[in-house]
Amino acid sequence: MQLNNRSRMNLEKIFYVVISTILVIVIVLISYLFTPFGIENNSNRKLATIYYVDHISTAHQKVIDIFNKKYEGQIKVETINLSFEKFSTNERKELLARYLRSKSSRIDIFSVDQIWVPRFARWGVPIQNYLDSNAVSSLIPNALQTCYFKDTLLAVPLYIDIAVMFYRDDLLKKLPDYNSIVNELSKSITWENFIKLRQRINSQNPFYTFQADDYEGLLCTFTELMAGQNKLIADKEGNIFINTPEGKKSLQLLVDLIYKYKVSPEEVTYLKENESFKFFAEHNGYFLRSWSSMFDDEVEYLTDEMRKNLEIAPVPHFENTKPVSVYGGWNLMISKFSGKIPEVIKFVKFLMSEESQKIMFEEGGYLPTNLNVYNDSDFTSKHKEIIFFKNLFKTGVHRPFMEGYTNVSDVLSYYLNSSMKGEIKVEEALRQAEKKILEKSIMVK
């Protein structure tokens, strides 16, 4: 039997409807299978794993564990640990840059030294579109300002650091004028009186240990010495102020601390943070320059007895100048190659919360960036040291925020360190450093 034209057309329509339906079903299934969330089953999305690169301390891990429990079955944070014990700040910078250049999606969120934001801007996601104004306004201004580049919010501050000086209270108690010394230390002792104190103490123990290797940590000390004299290393426009009277006075002090006054041992020229802790602990040092966040439970070189006797004070300053402490701290950036932005934003907001910030402080000594923590009288009465740091913020100064800062740091730290090793005179070191920076020479280390 032959079909008439109408019947044939109806069969063709049915055939196309069936084929189209099958295709739609296949497309929907494929789209569900290959989206970041996968197939939903009983209203639960497929687990999205985000990768977080940072120094993962016990405090970091505790916060991450709480987040993973809260979003169990939906989001899981996996960590890539670039610990301070194994990697210097410079090494972390180069490892991150190398990985991001590959455009890999295996990094979703990463931490940067606050001064690196301009360097990593090309790989970061502008964050202001994902955060409401209340979340941004809850961050302390001296930390938040480090998160902008060209008026775009590219990071959020995880914690803020500020330079401090630790001292062995048990050793100082042996001095007859202990109370007056501690009182002077609490207000920031002058370098001149600090040197006199060293001359009074007849001990082979290292008096003042600080980080003077060829790396960013040395720039922090130099920045303080310059800023105390109302002079910056450089400004946003790229003007350099290194080979100046203030620069010479600053570097000359660092050299004299070692060779003229014997305040610091020559070994400091080979010390970064972790090595300096070890040296200080093993040689029973009196004073140690450090950061507010660096004495968590993972600094294995410090015995419980040493921890019990460590007190904290502002870093010294030149006579007739203002006390200054350089800011540090680490910011969070989101990789523009990440395919899990919504999940990462949830994690970022959790890290910015009062709950997380309080845990980070209590577990690891990381100074909060959430203003509400500082305004919580119950919390601050329990942790009175927060008030000390809040007051110390008044003397805080940032390193220069400029696009080429990392190269300035590489060049300048090399010449500062060379001068402190006695390899080049102070004036020549500063002249050469300024020349190389202005020529935009690349320092390969």
Side-chain angles (χ1 to χ4, degrees):
M1 182 180 69
Q2 291 185 339
L3 295 174
N4 59 33
N5 289 337
R6 181 180 294 273
S7 297
R8 187 179 296 109
M9 290 177 63
N10 287 337
L11 283 174
E12 287 176 355
K13 284 182 179 179
I14 294 171
F15 174 79
Y16 285 122
V17 167
V18 171
I19 294 299
S20 298
T21 303
I22 292 171
L23 286 173
V24 168
I25 292 171
V26 170
I27 289 169
V28 169
L29 285 172
I30 289 173
S31 67
Y32 268 89
L33 286 170
F34 289 94
T35 57
F37 306 112
I39 299 177
E40 293 192 0
N41 182 21
N42 297 325
S43 300
N44 288 324
R45 292 172 173 173
K46 182 180 177 182
L47 183 68
T49 301
I50 61 178
Y51 292 91
Y52 171 36
V53 184
D54 202 342
H55 161 74
I56 307 297
S57 70
T58 52
H60 287 75
Q61 193 60 57
K62 183 169 183 176
V63 169
I64 291 166
D65 290 342
I66 293 171
F67 178 85
N68 284 341
K69 182 67 176 176
K70 182 177 181 178
Y71 289 95
E72 189 172 5
Q74 300 173 49
I75 309 171
K76 183 178 181 181
V77 176
E78 291 282 1
T79 61
I80 301 171
N81 187 12
L82 298 183
S83 72
F84 289 124
E85 285 72 35
K86 295 180 181 178
F87 302 96
S88 70
T89 51
N90 288 41
E91 289 166 341
R92 286 178 65 175
K93 175 184 67 181
E94 293 309 317
L95 283 170
L96 275 172
R98 196 176 306 151
Y99 204 89
L100 290 165
R101 282 192 203 102
S102 71
K103 301 182 180 180
S104 173
S105 61
R106 285 303 300 257
I107 289 180
D108 297 292
I109 178 172
F110 55 94
S111 69
V112 294
D113 185 317
Q114 59 175 221
I115 207 66
W116 298 348
V117 172
R119 166 78 182 272
F120 285 84
R122 74 191 79 170
W123 299 305
V125 171
I127 297 180
Q128 66 265 28
N129 297 331
Y130 299 98
L131 301 177
D132 60 44
S133 58
N134 289 332
V136 175
S137 62
S138 72
L139 299 170
I140 58 176
N142 43 0
L144 182 61
Q145 70 182 96
T146 71
C147 298
Y148 285 91
F149 180 64
K150 295 183 178 178
D151 298 322
T152 300
L153 186 66
L154 286 164
V156 292
L158 176 59
Y159 64 90
I160 191 167
D161 258 345
I162 193 163
V164 292
M165 185 168 68
F166 288 89
Y167 63 90
R168 284 280 299 274
D169 192 58
D170 55 329
L171 298 180
L172 291 187
K173 277 181 177 176
K174 297 175 182 178
L175 299 175
D177 53 346
Y178 162 79
N179 289 330
S180 63
I181 292 170
V182 169
N183 182 55
E184 190 173 9
L185 287 170
S186 69
K187 300 172 184 176
S188 174
I189 191 171
T190 65
W191 283 111
E192 291 79 4
N193 286 346
F194 193 58
I195 291 166
K196 289 176 183 176
L197 180 61
R198 169 66 184 100
Q199 292 166 345
R200 287 178 51 198
I201 295 177
N202 185 20
S203 172
Q204 296 302 310
N205 297 18
F207 185 74
Y208 180 56
T209 303
F210 68 108
Q211 304 79 33
D213 199 357
D214 171 13
Y215 85 120
E216 180 63 25
L218 178 54
L219 260 293
C220 293
T221 295
F222 190 72
T223 296
E224 280 173 353
L225 296 173
M226 293 279 286
Q229 302 172 78
N230 294 311
K231 183 67 73 172
L232 300 174
I233 292 174
D235 60 23
K236 291 181 179 179
E237 287 71 41
N239 298 306
I240 305 298
F241 309 108
I242 295 166
N243 190 21
T244 59
E246 294 84 1
K248 291 172 185 175
K249 183 176 180 179
S250 300
L251 179 52
Q252 191 64 59
L253 173 73
L254 296 178
V255 172
D256 288 346
L257 288 178
I258 299 171
Y259 302 104
K260 183 177 180 179
Y261 303 118
K262 309 297 181 184
V263 167
S264 299
E266 292 183 41
E267 285 89 343
V268 298
T269 59
Y270 297 94
L271 299 181
K272 297 182 177 70
E273 273 88 358
N274 199 48
E275 295 96 328
S276 69
F277 303 153
K278 183 177 181 181
F279 184 88
F280 173 79
E282 290 181 348
H283 294 83
N284 281 308
Y286 278 80
F287 293 91
L288 171 68
R289 176 199 167 84
S290 186
W291 296 101
S292 51
S293 66
M294 294 304 286
F295 276 81
D296 62 27
D297 292 336
E298 295 180 9
V299 180
E300 58 185 336
Y301 311 114
L302 296 171
T303 64
D304 291 339
E305 185 66 21
M306 285 181 179
R307 289 179 189 277
K308 186 176 70 175
N309 288 295
L310 278 179
E311 296 293 341
I312 193 168
V315 295
H317 66 283
F318 284 121
E319 198 169 50
N320 300 320
T321 67
K322 61 184 181 182
V324 169
S325 292
V326 72
Y327 282 122
W330 290 78
N331 297 340
L332 299 170
M333 297 184 71
I334 301 172
S335 170
K336 72 176 185 180
F337 308 116
S338 171
K340 302 156 191 169
I341 303 297
E343 292 85 0
V344 177
I345 290 296
K346 284 184 179 180
F347 182 50
V348 166
K349 288 180 177 178
F350 184 76
L351 292 175
M352 293 166 60
S353 69
E354 285 184 62
E355 175 190 3
S356 295
Q357 294 274 297
K358 288 177 179 178
I359 292 170
M360 290 286 286
F361 178 76
E362 289 185 323
E363 295 291 326
Y366 297 101
L367 291 180
T369 56
N370 189 316
L371 274 169
N372 296 325
V373 178
Y374 293 91
N375 295 329
D376 185 337
S377 57
D378 291 335
F379 190 77
T380 55
S381 63
K382 181 181 175 183
H383 301 286
K384 298 191 187 312
E385 61 272 31
I386 281 188
I387 303 303
F388 167 82
F389 290 116
K390 187 177 180 180
N391 289 329
L392 195 61
F393 290 160
K394 298 172 185 176
T395 69
V397 63
H398 287 289
R399 287 160 284 169
F401 286 106
M402 52 186 292
E403 197 163 355
Y405 173 78
T406 54
N407 192 54
V408 171
S409 174
D410 288 343
V411 172
L412 184 53
S413 62
Y414 170 80
Y415 282 101
L416 295 178
N417 178 261
S418 296
S419 186
M420 293 177 67
K421 287 177 178 175
E423 297 171 354
I424 185 171
K425 297 293 184 183
V426 168
E427 294 81 1
E428 183 62 15
L430 296 175
R431 190 187 70 80
Q432 287 283 352
E434 187 167 82
K435 180 175 179 289
K436 294 289 185 184
I437 291 168
L438 293 175
E439 292 173 349
K440 301 188 184 304
S441 299
I442 303 297
M443 184 66 67
V444 180
K445 299 184 180 181

